[in-house]
Amino acid sequence: MQHLMPTYNRLPIAFTRGEGVWLEDVDGNKYLDAISGIAVCGLGHCHADISTAICAQASTLMHTSNLYEIPLQTQLADRLAKLTGMDKVFFANSGAEANEAAIKIARLYGHKKGIDMPSILVCEGSFHGRTMATLSATGNRKVRAGFEPLLRGFSRIPFNDLNAVRDAASNDMNVVAILVEPVQGEGGINIPDEGYLTELRNICNDNGWLLMLDEIQTGLCRSGKWFAHQHAGIVPDVMTLAKGLGNGMPVGACIVNSEAAQVFEPGSHGSTFGGNPLASAAALAVLDTLESENLADQAAQSGKLLQKLFSDALAGKPGVKDIRGLGLLLAIELDRPCGELVMKAAEKGLLINVTVETVIRLLPPLICSETEIREIADRLIPLIEEFLIK
Ligand SMILES: *Cc1c(COP(=O)(O)O)cnc(C)c1O
């Protein structure tokens, strides 16, 4: 009997080592990783600076708990505040936990304004995590099914629909915040119209709502800027990060600005592990490397090139519905379910993902060289062509 909880349909591949954009399996086969452990290993596998920082910290001090001061955590908060222009940071261990903090902040903020049943606007097609609060906020029905009763206090609207937001502003006096991904990741790399985030910022300002951005997948240079909302030139009230922040070390952050930064007090929230010396050292090294290797710009360039390679080869072909991307968040949407492509690509030494059944999602490491970007296209394009002819 197999003792692992069967919560995943795993591919029958097990990796033993990684270096840069490459992974090696137990049989010595090599794979170009175009999914980065789901947008986690932006710096590639076992980046020397990150491994060195982790090893050094692991042999110095790993954990003390938040009963004491943690200088590395303080330093990491300062770095994130400087990068975002925001005020305060709470550290967690995952994306879902970072969003839990955001949801709790929105509720406290509402109560402080005298709203007894505060409600958060969330979007169809969204993904915010698997804890009870974050799955209740998530748009995908499959994530919620069977877990009722769900948490109350979320009101769902279509993504990229400003009128729905304006309607809520005129009709629902309990709304205190909107929680949204700047680009929906699990939902299929859905990129909103230009001006969407800017107008959300305006609506939030006009109504005293918190603009809460889930940048767990889009943040930390993946979109071609440090944070995806910077494409719109706005600053959110709350932003959550995780995935790429530790390059594989589990660490999440909830970053908060201005009035919303005042609602948590001692005792409001906590985490045993959150921001421990080991995780903080890893995240600091990740931020240093993202900056010193100028990976926001590199992701922007690489993303443009990869999107062009796919467009040149596939745009307008029967079966290809759309090719879209922002930085190194890329999607090729087909007109039919294409999950089988994941294993076909793996057989050709390429790791990709398919989400919402018909969308091939690519999240390559930010450190990809031009040669590696071209290699991704060279390996994937023929597979898609073959799949569509069949
Ligand atoms: C992955 C993801 C989460 C959940 O993060 P976990 O670390 O798996 O809890 C939440 N929101 C978005 C946008 C994500 O991509």
Side-chain angles (χ1 to χ4, degrees):
M1 186 180 149
Q2 222 264 57
H3 296 287
L4 261 189
M5 199 76 87
T7 49
Y8 286 94
N9 276 319
R10 297 169 194 269
L11 292 183
I13 306 173
F15 302 109
T16 50
R17 57 168 60 241
E19 191 184 338
V21 305
W22 297 94
L23 283 169
E24 189 177 320
D25 72 13
V26 292
D27 300 316
N29 299 308
K30 292 226 161 84
Y31 302 79
L32 208 182
D33 184 1
I35 191 71
S36 309
I38 322 185
V40 169
C41 303
L43 305 177
H45 297 281
C46 302
H47 189 291
D49 294 348
I50 311 309
S51 297
T52 303
I54 291 171
C55 290
Q57 193 58 45
S59 48
T60 308
L61 182 66
M62 289 206 275
H63 180 85
T64 56
S65 90
N66 286 298
L67 296 174
Y68 309 99
E69 294 198 357
I70 303 176
L72 285 167
Q73 186 186 129
T74 309
Q75 238 178 291
L76 180 58
D78 292 348
R79 277 299 290 282
L80 287 168
K82 194 158 168 228
L83 282 169
T84 56
M86 296 167 73
D87 289 334
K88 303 264 190 227
V89 188
F90 174 84
F91 289 103
N93 312 290
S94 67
E97 280 180 75
N99 282 338
E100 287 279 341
I103 292 163
K104 285 179 70 173
I105 285 168
R107 286 188 168 196
L108 267 185
Y109 170 83
H111 285 289
K112 290 201 168 156
K113 293 208 305 181
I115 296 173
D116 291 337
M117 296 290 279
S119 168
I120 300 170
L121 293 180
V122 291
C123 290
E124 286 166 11
S126 66
F127 181 80
H128 299 297
R130 300 288 197 153
T131 60
M132 278 311 305
T134 59
L135 77 82
S136 300
T138 288
N140 184 345
R141 225 172 255 108
K142 276 195 212 149
V143 171
R144 303 196 304 266
F147 298 109
E148 300 80 4
L150 301 180
L151 213 70
R152 291 190 294 165
F154 296 103
S155 175
R156 204 169 308 282
I157 54 172
F159 183 61
N160 193 24
D161 181 343
L162 288 165
N163 283 330
V165 184
R166 292 187 192 107
D167 279 354
S170 8
N171 298 320
D172 187 347
M173 294 304 123
N174 286 329
V175 175
V176 296
I178 176 163
L179 173 63
V180 64
E181 296 155 88
V183 173
Q184 290 187 332
E186 305 302 303
I189 312 294
N190 302 319
I191 304 167
D193 296 337
E194 208 172 318
Y196 179 65
L197 284 185
T198 315
E199 192 52 24
L200 284 186
R201 180 68 275 176
N202 292 336
I203 297 171
C204 285
N205 290 349
D206 292 347
N207 292 280
W209 297 352
L210 302 180
L211 177 59
M212 308 206 298
L213 298 182
D214 180 342
E215 292 235 26
I216 290 164
Q217 192 156 151
T218 55
L220 298 160
C221 302
R222 180 147 296 277
S223 76
K225 292 206 184 277
W226 270 95
F227 305 104
H229 67 261
Q230 291 170 340
H231 290 279
I234 55 139
V235 179
D237 300 296
V238 178
M239 170 170 65
T240 50
L241 298 176
K243 294 202 164 89
L245 184 55
N247 209 55
M249 179 66 72
V251 48
C254 178
I255 309 176
V256 188
N257 205 22
S258 58
E259 209 184 325
Q262 313 302 321
V263 304
F264 272 178
E265 309 169 347
S268 301
H269 198 40
S271 165
T272 297
F273 292 131
N276 79 13
L278 186 62
S280 297
L284 276 167
V286 167
L287 297 180
D288 283 342
T289 309
L290 288 170
E291 193 171 302
S292 65
E293 297 190 11
N294 197 13
L295 289 172
D297 289 344
Q298 187 167 328
Q301 299 277 324
S302 299
K304 268 190 204 132
L305 172 61
L306 191 51
Q307 204 179 322
K308 180 178 185 317
L309 294 171
F310 286 127
S311 294
D312 288 351
L314 297 170
K317 291 257 170 86
V320 179
K321 276 183 77 174
D322 192 27
I323 296 165
R324 56 181 175 265
L326 185 68
L328 284 173
L329 296 146
L330 289 126
I332 303 160
E333 182 174 357
L334 304 184
D335 67 352
R336 66 201 78 170
C338 57
E340 66 189 74
L341 276 171
V342 174
M343 195 58 210
K344 290 221 161 80
E347 283 161 4
K348 300 278 185 210
L350 178 69
L351 304 178
I352 61 166
N353 175 255
V354 167
T355 188
V356 293
E357 294 188 353
T358 55
V359 175
I360 302 165
R361 176 173 58 156
L362 300 175
L363 303 163
L366 311 174
I367 53 147
C368 269
S369 66
E370 186 182 330
T371 314
E372 289 157 348
I373 290 288
R374 290 182 185 278
E375 187 72 31
I376 293 171
D378 288 346
R379 289 187 190 203
L380 186 53
I381 289 164
L383 286 173
I384 296 173
E385 286 172 338
E386 202 178 308
F387 173 77
L388 288 171
I389 288 165
K390 216 186 31 168

